[in-house]
Amino acid sequence: MSDQHQNLAIIGHVDHGKSTLVGRLLYETGSVPEHVIEQHREEAEEKGKGGFEFAYVMDNLAEERERGVTIDIAHQEFSTDEYDFTIVDCPGHRDFVKNMITGASQADNAVLVVAADDGVAPQTQEHVFLARTLGIDELIIGVNKMDVVDYKESTYDEVVEEVTQLLKQVQFNTADASFIPISAFEGDNIAESSENTDWYDGEILLEALNDLPEPEPPTDASLRLPIQDVYTISGIGTVPVGRIETGIMNTGDDVVFQPSDVGGEVKTIEMHHEEVPKAEPGDNVGFNVRGIGKDDIRRGDVCGPADNPPKVAETFQAQVVVMQHPSVITAGYTPVFHAHTAQVACTIESIDKKMDPSSGEVAEEDPDFIQSGDAAVVTIRPQKPLSIEPSSEIPELGSFAIRDMGQTIAAGKVLDVNEK
Ligand code: GDP
Protein backbone atom coordinates (compact mmCIF):
# COMPACT_ATOMS: atom_id res chain seq x y z
CA MET A 1 0.00 0.00 0.00
CA SER A 2 1.15 3.51 -0.67
CA ASP A 3 -0.42 6.75 0.41
CA GLN A 4 -0.23 8.47 -2.97
CA HIS A 5 -3.71 8.56 -4.39
CA GLN A 6 -4.87 8.57 -8.01
CA ASN A 7 -8.30 8.79 -9.55
CA LEU A 8 -8.24 6.66 -12.65
CA ALA A 9 -10.84 6.69 -15.42
CA ILE A 10 -11.32 3.67 -17.65
CA ILE A 11 -12.66 4.95 -20.92
CA GLY A 12 -13.47 3.54 -24.34
CA HIS A 13 -16.21 2.32 -26.62
CA VAL A 14 -18.94 0.04 -25.27
CA ASP A 15 -18.00 -3.66 -25.38
CA HIS A 16 -14.33 -2.97 -25.90
CA GLY A 17 -13.65 -4.53 -22.49
CA LYS A 18 -13.62 -1.79 -19.83
CA SER A 19 -15.51 -3.77 -17.18
CA THR A 20 -13.50 -6.86 -17.90
CA LEU A 21 -10.31 -4.87 -17.50
CA VAL A 22 -11.40 -3.36 -14.20
CA GLY A 23 -12.30 -6.82 -12.92
CA ARG A 24 -8.94 -8.07 -14.09
CA LEU A 25 -7.08 -5.23 -12.36
CA LEU A 26 -8.94 -5.78 -9.10
CA TYR A 27 -8.28 -9.48 -9.40
CA GLU A 28 -4.58 -9.25 -10.25
CA THR A 29 -3.89 -6.80 -7.46
CA GLY A 30 -5.64 -9.00 -4.94
CA SER A 31 -8.43 -6.49 -4.42
CA VAL A 32 -11.19 -9.05 -4.77
CA PRO A 33 -11.17 -12.06 -2.48
CA GLU A 34 -10.56 -15.32 -4.36
CA HIS A 35 -13.75 -16.86 -2.99
CA VAL A 36 -15.81 -14.08 -4.56
CA ILE A 37 -14.17 -14.70 -7.93
CA GLU A 38 -14.76 -18.42 -7.49
CA GLN A 39 -18.42 -17.89 -6.75
CA HIS A 40 -18.84 -15.82 -9.90
CA ARG A 41 -16.92 -18.31 -11.97
CA GLU A 42 -19.32 -21.05 -10.89
CA GLU A 43 -22.31 -18.85 -11.53
CA ALA A 44 -21.04 -17.97 -14.98
CA GLU A 45 -20.37 -21.58 -15.84
CA GLU A 46 -23.84 -22.58 -14.71
CA LYS A 47 -25.26 -20.07 -17.13
CA GLY A 48 -23.00 -21.37 -19.84
CA LYS A 49 -20.91 -18.25 -19.85
CA GLY A 50 -17.62 -19.65 -18.67
CA GLY A 51 -14.94 -16.99 -18.45
CA PHE A 52 -17.27 -14.12 -17.70
CA GLU A 53 -16.25 -14.00 -14.07
CA PHE A 54 -14.55 -10.62 -14.16
CA ALA A 55 -17.55 -8.88 -15.65
CA TYR A 56 -19.57 -10.59 -12.95
CA VAL A 57 -17.29 -9.16 -10.32
CA MET A 58 -17.92 -5.72 -11.75
CA ASP A 59 -21.69 -6.17 -11.86
CA ASN A 60 -21.67 -7.41 -8.32
CA LEU A 61 -19.63 -4.49 -7.03
CA ALA A 62 -21.86 -1.98 -8.79
CA GLU A 63 -24.96 -3.65 -7.45
CA GLU A 64 -23.60 -3.74 -3.93
CA ARG A 65 -22.83 -0.09 -4.16
CA GLU A 66 -26.34 0.77 -5.26
CA ARG A 67 -28.15 -1.34 -2.73
CA GLY A 68 -25.47 -0.85 -0.07
CA VAL A 69 -25.78 0.96 3.18
CA THR A 70 -26.49 4.51 2.15
CA ILE A 71 -23.39 6.03 3.64
CA ASP A 72 -20.95 3.71 1.91
CA ILE A 73 -20.60 5.15 -1.56
CA ALA A 74 -16.97 4.18 -2.06
CA HIS A 75 -15.71 3.27 -5.49
CA GLN A 76 -13.56 0.33 -6.55
CA GLU A 77 -9.98 0.53 -5.38
CA PHE A 78 -6.71 -1.23 -6.02
CA SER A 79 -3.09 -0.51 -5.26
CA THR A 80 0.27 -0.71 -6.96
CA ASP A 81 3.59 -0.07 -5.18
CA GLU A 82 3.36 3.60 -5.99
CA TYR A 83 -0.32 4.45 -5.82
CA ASP A 84 -3.70 3.70 -4.34
CA PHE A 85 -6.04 3.90 -7.31
CA THR A 86 -9.71 4.68 -7.20
CA ILE A 87 -11.56 3.78 -10.37
CA VAL A 88 -13.87 6.69 -10.89
CA ASP A 89 -17.37 5.57 -11.63
CA CYS A 90 -18.37 2.21 -12.94
CA PRO A 91 -17.45 2.04 -16.60
CA GLY A 92 -20.55 0.10 -17.56
CA HIS A 93 -22.63 3.02 -16.41
CA ARG A 94 -24.90 4.70 -18.93
CA ASP A 95 -24.02 8.15 -17.70
CA PHE A 96 -20.33 7.51 -17.65
CA VAL A 97 -19.40 10.35 -19.99
CA LYS A 98 -21.47 12.79 -18.04
CA ASN A 99 -20.06 11.54 -14.77
CA MET A 100 -16.57 11.79 -16.12
CA ILE A 101 -17.02 15.51 -16.39
CA THR A 102 -18.93 16.25 -13.27
CA GLY A 103 -17.64 16.31 -9.76
CA ALA A 104 -17.11 12.95 -8.17
CA SER A 105 -15.61 11.34 -11.20
CA GLN A 106 -12.80 13.68 -12.01
CA ALA A 107 -9.84 11.62 -12.99
CA ASP A 108 -6.14 12.40 -12.91
CA ASN A 109 -5.18 9.90 -15.59
CA ALA A 110 -7.02 7.44 -17.77
CA VAL A 111 -6.77 4.07 -19.43
CA LEU A 112 -8.33 4.06 -22.89
CA VAL A 113 -9.51 0.59 -23.90
CA VAL A 114 -9.62 -0.05 -27.64
CA ALA A 115 -10.58 -3.48 -28.92
CA ALA A 116 -8.01 -4.72 -31.41
CA ASP A 117 -10.71 -6.27 -33.59
CA ASP A 118 -12.73 -3.06 -33.81
CA GLY A 119 -10.28 -0.16 -33.60
CA VAL A 120 -11.39 3.44 -33.03
CA ALA A 121 -15.18 3.58 -32.57
CA PRO A 122 -17.55 6.52 -31.87
CA GLN A 123 -17.19 6.45 -28.08
CA THR A 124 -13.44 6.10 -28.40
CA GLN A 125 -13.49 9.48 -30.11
CA GLU A 126 -15.90 10.99 -27.65
CA HIS A 127 -13.95 9.85 -24.61
CA VAL A 128 -10.58 10.93 -26.00
CA PHE A 129 -12.07 14.30 -26.77
CA LEU A 130 -13.35 14.60 -23.20
CA ALA A 131 -10.08 13.43 -21.71
CA ARG A 132 -8.36 16.19 -23.62
CA THR A 133 -10.95 18.87 -22.72
CA LEU A 134 -10.88 17.97 -19.06
CA GLY A 135 -7.14 17.95 -18.84
CA ILE A 136 -6.41 14.28 -18.20
CA ASP A 137 -2.62 14.22 -17.79
CA GLU A 138 -1.67 10.90 -19.26
CA LEU A 139 -3.41 8.29 -21.28
CA ILE A 140 -2.49 4.61 -21.26
CA ILE A 141 -4.00 2.92 -24.30
CA GLY A 142 -4.77 -0.75 -23.77
CA VAL A 143 -5.19 -2.33 -27.18
CA ASN A 144 -7.49 -5.04 -25.86
CA LYS A 145 -8.77 -8.39 -27.08
CA MET A 146 -5.41 -9.22 -28.60
CA ASP A 147 -6.40 -12.88 -28.22
CA VAL A 148 -9.21 -12.31 -30.72
CA VAL A 149 -6.75 -11.17 -33.39
CA ASP A 150 -4.28 -14.00 -32.68
CA TYR A 151 -1.87 -11.54 -31.03
CA LYS A 152 -0.91 -10.22 -34.46
CA GLU A 153 1.62 -7.41 -34.32
CA SER A 154 0.37 -5.91 -37.58
CA THR A 155 -3.16 -5.53 -36.21
CA TYR A 156 -1.78 -3.93 -33.06
CA ASP A 157 0.29 -1.50 -35.17
CA GLU A 158 -2.78 -0.54 -37.19
CA VAL A 159 -4.77 0.25 -34.05
CA VAL A 160 -1.85 2.22 -32.57
CA GLU A 161 -1.68 4.24 -35.77
CA GLU A 162 -5.43 4.86 -35.80
CA VAL A 163 -5.48 6.01 -32.16
CA THR A 164 -2.40 8.18 -32.69
CA GLN A 165 -4.22 9.96 -35.53
CA LEU A 166 -7.21 10.52 -33.25
CA LEU A 167 -4.99 11.94 -30.49
CA LYS A 168 -3.39 14.34 -32.96
CA GLN A 169 -6.81 15.38 -34.22
CA VAL A 170 -7.86 16.54 -30.75
CA GLN A 171 -4.39 17.96 -30.03
CA PHE A 172 -3.62 15.52 -27.28
CA ASN A 173 0.13 15.41 -26.78
CA THR A 174 1.06 11.94 -28.05
CA ALA A 175 4.16 12.02 -25.85
CA ASP A 176 1.75 11.64 -22.94
CA ALA A 177 0.25 8.46 -24.36
CA SER A 178 1.59 4.93 -24.09
CA PHE A 179 0.28 1.85 -25.89
CA ILE A 180 0.12 -1.71 -24.58
CA PRO A 181 -1.23 -4.84 -26.32
CA ILE A 182 -3.45 -6.61 -23.77
CA SER A 183 -6.15 -9.15 -23.27
CA ALA A 184 -8.26 -8.28 -20.25
CA PHE A 185 -9.99 -11.59 -20.65
CA GLU A 186 -6.89 -13.80 -20.83
CA GLY A 187 -4.72 -11.57 -18.68
CA ASP A 188 -1.99 -10.84 -21.23
CA ASN A 189 0.40 -7.99 -20.32
CA ILE A 190 -1.66 -6.92 -17.31
CA ALA A 191 0.34 -8.20 -14.35
CA GLU A 192 2.84 -10.28 -16.27
CA SER A 193 4.58 -9.98 -19.58
CA SER A 194 2.86 -12.24 -22.09
CA GLU A 195 4.59 -14.84 -24.23
CA ASN A 196 1.85 -14.36 -26.79
CA THR A 197 3.22 -10.94 -27.67
CA ASP A 198 6.95 -11.68 -27.81
CA TRP A 199 7.25 -8.86 -30.38
CA TYR A 200 6.32 -6.34 -27.65
CA ASP A 201 8.96 -5.26 -25.15
CA GLY A 202 7.33 -2.22 -23.57
CA GLU A 203 5.76 -1.88 -20.13
CA ILE A 204 2.90 -4.09 -19.02
CA LEU A 205 -0.25 -2.42 -17.73
CA LEU A 206 0.43 -2.52 -13.98
CA GLU A 207 3.93 -1.12 -14.56
CA ALA A 208 2.54 1.67 -16.71
CA LEU A 209 -0.02 2.49 -14.00
CA ASN A 210 2.69 2.46 -11.39
CA ASP A 211 4.76 4.90 -13.50
CA LEU A 212 2.00 7.44 -14.04
CA PRO A 213 2.90 10.98 -13.03
CA GLU A 214 1.83 12.10 -9.60
CA PRO A 215 -1.51 13.92 -9.59
CA GLU A 216 -1.51 17.65 -9.09
CA PRO A 217 -1.56 18.34 -5.36
CA PRO A 218 -5.06 19.21 -4.19
CA THR A 219 -5.80 22.90 -4.08
CA ASP A 220 -5.90 24.57 -0.69
CA ALA A 221 -9.38 25.84 -1.52
CA SER A 222 -11.89 25.88 1.31
CA LEU A 223 -14.49 23.17 1.83
CA ARG A 224 -16.65 22.18 -1.13
CA LEU A 225 -18.83 19.11 -0.76
CA PRO A 226 -21.44 18.57 -3.49
CA ILE A 227 -24.42 16.71 -2.07
CA GLN A 228 -25.19 13.43 -3.76
CA ASP A 229 -28.19 12.37 -1.71
CA VAL A 230 -30.02 13.22 1.46
CA TYR A 231 -31.16 10.45 3.81
CA THR A 232 -33.05 10.23 7.04
CA ILE A 233 -31.38 7.79 9.40
CA SER A 234 -33.04 6.83 12.66
CA GLY A 235 -31.12 7.93 15.70
CA ILE A 236 -29.18 10.51 13.71
CA GLY A 237 -31.66 12.48 11.65
CA THR A 238 -30.98 14.09 8.29
CA VAL A 239 -27.80 12.80 6.67
CA PRO A 240 -26.56 14.43 3.48
CA VAL A 241 -23.91 12.35 1.75
CA GLY A 242 -21.29 13.22 -0.83
CA ARG A 243 -17.62 13.37 -1.63
CA ILE A 244 -15.43 16.16 -0.36
CA GLU A 245 -13.92 17.80 -3.44
CA THR A 246 -11.79 20.39 -1.66
CA GLY A 247 -11.02 21.51 1.86
CA ILE A 248 -11.57 19.92 5.24
CA MET A 249 -14.74 19.30 7.21
CA ASN A 250 -14.49 19.19 11.02
CA THR A 251 -17.21 18.53 13.53
CA GLY A 252 -18.16 21.83 15.08
CA ASP A 253 -17.68 23.73 11.76
CA ASP A 254 -20.29 26.22 10.71
CA VAL A 255 -21.43 25.28 7.22
CA VAL A 256 -23.95 26.42 4.62
CA PHE A 257 -25.64 24.65 1.72
CA GLN A 258 -25.96 26.58 -1.52
CA PRO A 259 -28.13 27.33 -3.41
CA SER A 260 -30.62 26.11 -0.76
CA ASP A 261 -29.18 28.81 1.48
CA VAL A 262 -29.47 27.05 4.84
CA GLY A 263 -26.77 26.18 7.33
CA GLY A 264 -25.75 25.15 10.82
CA GLU A 265 -23.11 23.42 12.86
CA VAL A 266 -21.67 20.02 11.81
CA LYS A 267 -22.63 17.63 14.61
CA THR A 268 -21.27 14.32 13.32
CA ILE A 269 -19.30 13.04 10.35
CA GLU A 270 -19.38 9.40 9.33
CA MET A 271 -17.10 7.58 6.95
CA HIS A 272 -17.02 3.82 6.26
CA HIS A 273 -19.65 3.38 9.00
CA GLU A 274 -17.49 5.04 11.61
CA GLU A 275 -17.69 8.40 13.22
CA VAL A 276 -14.70 10.61 12.46
CA PRO A 277 -13.81 14.07 13.77
CA LYS A 278 -12.73 15.36 10.37
CA ALA A 279 -12.75 14.45 6.68
CA GLU A 280 -10.70 15.60 3.70
CA PRO A 281 -10.71 15.71 -0.10
CA GLY A 282 -11.65 12.40 -1.68
CA ASP A 283 -13.50 11.19 1.41
CA ASN A 284 -17.04 9.97 0.89
CA VAL A 285 -18.94 11.07 3.96
CA GLY A 286 -22.34 11.21 5.52
CA PHE A 287 -22.80 13.97 8.06
CA ASN A 288 -25.38 15.67 10.18
CA VAL A 289 -25.93 19.38 10.57
CA ARG A 290 -27.79 20.87 13.50
CA GLY A 291 -31.22 22.15 12.55
CA ILE A 292 -31.22 20.90 8.95
CA GLY A 293 -34.21 18.80 7.90
CA LYS A 294 -34.55 16.47 4.93
CA ASP A 295 -36.52 18.99 2.89
CA ASP A 296 -34.16 21.90 3.52
CA ILE A 297 -31.43 20.61 1.22
CA ARG A 298 -31.19 18.50 -1.92
CA ARG A 299 -28.89 16.77 -4.36
CA GLY A 300 -26.96 19.41 -6.27
CA ASP A 301 -26.44 21.65 -3.24
CA VAL A 302 -22.84 22.35 -2.33
CA CYS A 303 -21.80 22.47 1.31
CA GLY A 304 -19.08 24.94 2.27
CA PRO A 305 -17.94 27.06 5.21
CA ALA A 306 -20.35 29.75 6.37
CA ASP A 307 -17.59 32.36 6.08
CA ASN A 308 -16.64 31.34 2.53
CA PRO A 309 -19.86 29.98 1.06
CA PRO A 310 -20.17 28.24 -2.32
CA LYS A 311 -20.93 30.72 -5.09
CA VAL A 312 -24.40 30.85 -6.63
CA ALA A 313 -24.38 32.06 -10.22
CA GLU A 314 -26.77 34.62 -11.64
CA THR A 315 -24.80 34.12 -14.85
CA PHE A 316 -21.39 32.68 -15.62
CA GLN A 317 -18.93 32.83 -18.44
CA ALA A 318 -17.39 29.61 -19.65
CA GLN A 319 -15.22 28.10 -22.28
CA VAL A 320 -17.06 25.28 -24.03
CA VAL A 321 -16.15 22.78 -26.69
CA VAL A 322 -18.96 21.40 -28.80
CA MET A 323 -18.61 17.70 -29.27
CA GLN A 324 -21.62 16.64 -31.24
CA HIS A 325 -24.68 18.61 -32.15
CA PRO A 326 -26.89 17.77 -35.12
CA SER A 327 -27.27 21.40 -36.16
CA VAL A 328 -25.95 24.67 -34.79
CA ILE A 329 -26.02 26.24 -31.31
CA THR A 330 -27.23 29.82 -31.12
CA ALA A 331 -27.96 32.24 -28.26
CA GLY A 332 -31.18 31.24 -26.49
CA TYR A 333 -30.44 27.52 -26.56
CA THR A 334 -31.41 25.97 -23.19
CA PRO A 335 -30.04 22.45 -22.65
CA VAL A 336 -29.43 20.73 -19.30
CA PHE A 337 -26.10 21.41 -17.61
CA HIS A 338 -24.54 18.78 -15.40
CA ALA A 339 -22.11 20.24 -12.91
CA HIS A 340 -20.85 18.24 -9.90
CA THR A 341 -24.06 16.63 -8.61
CA ALA A 342 -26.41 19.30 -9.99
CA GLN A 343 -28.55 19.16 -13.12
CA VAL A 344 -30.00 22.50 -14.13
CA ALA A 345 -31.43 23.86 -17.39
CA CYS A 346 -29.33 26.83 -18.45
CA THR A 347 -29.70 29.26 -21.32
CA ILE A 348 -26.74 30.17 -23.47
CA GLU A 349 -27.37 33.87 -23.31
CA SER A 350 -24.64 34.99 -25.67
CA ILE A 351 -21.84 33.48 -27.69
CA ASP A 352 -19.03 35.88 -26.99
CA LYS A 353 -16.03 34.51 -28.89
CA LYS A 354 -15.15 31.62 -31.09
CA MET A 355 -11.66 30.27 -30.43
CA ASP A 356 -9.19 28.57 -32.66
CA PRO A 357 -8.90 25.24 -30.85
CA SER A 358 -5.29 24.63 -31.86
CA SER A 359 -3.82 28.04 -30.97
CA GLY A 360 -6.33 29.12 -28.32
CA GLU A 361 -6.55 32.55 -30.02
CA VAL A 362 -9.82 34.35 -30.68
CA ALA A 363 -11.02 33.40 -34.16
CA GLU A 364 -14.24 35.44 -34.22
CA GLU A 365 -15.98 37.94 -31.89
CA ASP A 366 -19.73 37.54 -31.29
CA PRO A 367 -20.31 34.69 -33.75
CA ASP A 368 -23.93 33.95 -34.72
CA PHE A 369 -23.58 30.27 -33.96
CA ILE A 370 -21.21 27.47 -33.02
CA GLN A 371 -21.25 23.85 -34.14
CA SER A 372 -19.57 20.49 -33.60
CA GLY A 373 -15.84 20.82 -33.18
CA ASP A 374 -15.98 24.51 -32.19
CA ALA A 375 -14.50 25.97 -29.03
CA ALA A 376 -16.11 29.16 -27.74
CA VAL A 377 -16.52 31.50 -24.80
CA VAL A 378 -20.20 31.82 -23.88
CA THR A 379 -22.31 33.51 -21.21
CA ILE A 380 -24.74 31.20 -19.46
CA ARG A 381 -27.82 31.92 -17.34
CA PRO A 382 -29.04 29.07 -15.10
CA GLN A 383 -32.84 28.77 -15.10
CA LYS A 384 -32.76 27.64 -11.47
CA PRO A 385 -30.17 28.53 -8.84
CA LEU A 386 -26.88 26.74 -9.46
CA SER A 387 -23.77 26.67 -7.33
CA ILE A 388 -20.63 26.66 -9.45
CA GLU A 389 -17.08 28.04 -9.14
CA PRO A 390 -14.48 29.51 -11.49
CA SER A 391 -12.22 26.74 -12.69
CA SER A 392 -9.17 28.87 -11.90
CA GLU A 393 -10.18 29.03 -8.21
CA ILE A 394 -11.73 25.61 -7.62
CA PRO A 395 -11.21 23.38 -10.68
CA GLU A 396 -13.03 20.56 -8.93
CA LEU A 397 -16.26 22.58 -9.10
CA GLY A 398 -15.53 24.47 -12.28
CA SER A 399 -16.40 22.09 -15.09
CA PHE A 400 -19.66 20.86 -16.56
CA ALA A 401 -21.23 18.77 -19.30
CA ILE A 402 -24.03 19.98 -21.53
CA ARG A 403 -26.56 17.29 -22.36
CA ASP A 404 -29.42 17.25 -24.80
CA MET A 405 -31.32 14.50 -26.60
CA GLY A 406 -29.72 11.88 -24.38
CA GLN A 407 -26.20 12.81 -25.41
CA THR A 408 -23.33 14.85 -24.12
CA ILE A 409 -23.13 17.60 -26.69
CA ALA A 410 -20.50 19.81 -25.11
CA ALA A 411 -18.15 20.14 -22.18
CA GLY A 412 -16.86 23.27 -20.54
CA LYS A 413 -14.90 25.07 -17.88
CA VAL A 414 -16.13 28.06 -15.89
CA LEU A 415 -14.10 31.24 -16.40
CA ASP A 416 -16.03 33.69 -14.30
CA VAL A 417 -19.06 33.66 -11.99
CA ASN A 418 -21.39 36.62 -11.70
CA GLU A 419 -22.94 35.99 -8.29
CA LYS A 420 -26.58 36.48 -7.37
P1 GDP B 1 -17.35 -2.70 -21.72
O1 GDP B 1 -18.71 -2.43 -22.30
O2 GDP B 1 -16.30 -1.89 -22.40
O3 GDP B 1 -17.28 -2.61 -20.23
O4 GDP B 1 -16.98 -4.20 -22.15
P2 GDP B 1 -17.03 -5.55 -21.30
O5 GDP B 1 -15.92 -5.60 -20.33
O6 GDP B 1 -18.42 -5.75 -20.80
O7 GDP B 1 -16.69 -6.60 -22.43
C1 GDP B 1 -17.53 -6.78 -23.55
C2 GDP B 1 -17.38 -8.21 -24.08
O8 GDP B 1 -16.04 -8.42 -24.54
C3 GDP B 1 -17.61 -9.26 -23.00
O9 GDP B 1 -18.27 -10.33 -23.61
C4 GDP B 1 -16.22 -9.65 -22.57
O10 GDP B 1 -16.15 -10.94 -22.08
C5 GDP B 1 -15.45 -9.51 -23.87
N1 GDP B 1 -14.02 -9.18 -23.65
C6 GDP B 1 -13.51 -8.19 -22.89
N2 GDP B 1 -12.16 -8.19 -22.95
C7 GDP B 1 -11.82 -9.23 -23.75
C8 GDP B 1 -10.57 -9.78 -24.19
O11 GDP B 1 -9.48 -9.32 -23.86
N3 GDP B 1 -10.64 -10.86 -25.03
C9 GDP B 1 -11.83 -11.42 -25.41
N4 GDP B 1 -11.79 -12.48 -26.23
N5 GDP B 1 -13.01 -10.93 -25.01
C10 GDP B 1 -13.01 -9.86 -24.20
Side-chain angles (χ1 to χ4, degrees):
M1 278 291 244
S2 110
D3 44 15
Q4 273 281 354
H5 186 260
Q6 287 246 4
N7 280 339
L8 186 72
I10 310 284
I11 59 180
H13 193 71
V14 63
D15 278 348
H16 279 203
K18 298 180 297 296
S19 312
T20 311
L21 181 62
V22 171
R24 175 61 74 174
L25 283 169
L26 297 181
Y27 177 67
E28 297 288 353
T29 55
S31 313
V32 186
E34 180 64 30
H35 74 268
V36 175
I37 301 265
E38 200 47 50
Q39 178 196 330
H40 292 306
R41 184 175 290 139
E42 277 165 24
E43 227 174 270
E45 268 162 20
E46 261 168 41
K47 293 185 182 160
K49 293 180 177 181
F52 269 47
E53 63 267 24
F54 302 113
Y56 268 71
V57 169
M58 282 307 298
D59 287 352
N60 189 54
L61 289 174
E63 222 174 80
E64 263 179 21
R65 191 175 53 154
E66 264 160 39
R67 123 176 87 78
V69 190
T70 51
I71 288 173
D72 188 9
I73 49 175
H75 301 139
Q76 286 83 290
E77 295 180 345
F78 69 94
S79 301
T80 63
D81 293 342
E82 209 53 50
Y83 297 113
D84 292 338
F85 285 96
T86 301
I87 306 248
V88 291
D89 209 272
C90 176
H93 223 226
R94 285 280 147 245
D95 284 335
F96 180 57
V97 168
K98 183 199 83 194
N99 294 347
M100 202 174 132
I101 300 171
T102 55
S105 299
Q106 269 190 10
D108 303 304
N109 297 294
V111 176
L112 170 67
V113 179
V114 186
D117 61 341
D118 197 22
V120 168
Q123 284 161 326
T124 318
Q125 289 178 313
E126 188 185 16
H127 292 185
V128 164
F129 172 88
L130 282 172
R132 152 75 178 26
T133 313
L134 300 171
I136 294 265
D137 292 333
E138 287 223 8
L139 208 51
I140 296 171
I141 298 104
V143 178
N144 191 35
K145 305 199 187 184
M146 284 304 296
D147 57 304
V148 175
V149 299
D150 295 327
Y151 301 98
K152 270 215 315 255
E153 184 177 11
S154 57
T155 309
Y156 172 73
D157 288 341
E158 280 165 29
V159 175
V160 170
E161 178 54 29
E162 211 185 348
V163 175
T164 305
Q165 285 310 319
L166 171 62
L167 294 178
K168 286 189 179 149
Q169 216 179 325
V170 303
Q171 273 107 34
F172 193 96
N173 190 350
T174 46
D176 293 334
S178 51
F179 292 85
I180 309 175
I182 61 169
S183 168
F185 194 86
E186 301 290 347
D188 297 288
N189 294 328
I190 309 282
E192 271 175 49
S193 204
S194 169
E195 284 171 13
N196 295 319
T197 54
D198 49 13
W199 42 264
Y200 174 78
D201 59 6
E203 284 188 316
I204 58 168
L205 185 60
L206 280 174
E207 282 171 356
L209 289 168
N210 202 47
D211 288 350
L212 282 170
E214 283 177 17
E216 298 274 308
T219 52
D220 51 11
S222 64
L223 176 69
R224 293 293 184 267
L225 196 177
I227 303 307
Q228 225 138 43
D229 269 307
V230 183
Y231 298 99
T232 306
I233 293 182
S234 61
I236 304 180
T238 303
V239 177
V241 304
R243 176 183 189 266
I244 297 189
E245 291 297 336
T246 58
I248 308 280
M249 175 180 266
N250 297 290
T251 49
D253 283 356
D254 242 333
V255 296
V256 286
F257 296 82
Q258 292 295 3
S260 283
D261 200 24
V262 293
E265 183 194 327
V266 177
K267 280 199 300 190
T268 56
I269 306 172
E270 190 170 320
M271 191 161 66
H272 303 307
H273 311 293
E274 272 172 29
E275 250 190 71
V276 292
K278 81 175 214 183
E280 47 185 43
D283 289 347
N284 286 297
V285 297
F287 58 108
N288 178 253
V289 174
R290 199 177 296 276
I292 299 285
K294 190 171 191 321
D295 298 328
D296 296 335
I297 53 176
R298 55 201 50 83
R299 180 184 170 88
D301 274 342
V302 180
C303 178
D307 58 5
N308 186 2
K311 289 188 167 65
V312 180
E314 173 87 44
T315 60
F316 61 97
Q317 207 176 38
Q319 164 131 29
V320 297
V321 186
V322 185
M323 227 179 299
Q324 46 184 353
H325 193 275
S327 55
V328 296
I329 293 176
T330 55
Y333 181 46
T334 308
V336 176
F337 280 54
H338 296 249
H340 53 89
T341 58
Q343 295 182 19
V344 175
C346 299
T347 302
I348 297 186
E349 205 162 63
S350 59
I351 303 173
D352 307 325
K353 298 171 205 168
K354 197 157 109 178
M355 317 299 287
D356 176 344
S358 50
S359 66
E361 312 256 294
V362 177
E364 189 183 346
E365 298 277 353
D366 301 316
D368 291 332
F369 64 88
I370 47 175
Q371 57 191 348
S372 296
D374 283 347
V377 173
V378 298
T379 300
I380 294 152
R381 180 176 295 273
Q383 294 300 312
K384 280 194 182 144
L386 170 67
S387 177
I388 201 156
E389 309 280 347
S391 175
S392 59
E393 287 171 28
I394 310 186
E396 292 82 352
L397 291 209
S399 59
F400 55 86
I402 304 178
R403 306 257 305 166
D404 196 6
M405 300 164 287
Q407 285 185 330
T408 302
I409 55 161
K413 283 187 174 177
V414 180
L415 301 174
D416 220 351
V417 174
N418 174 21
E419 288 185 78
K420 266 210 189 311

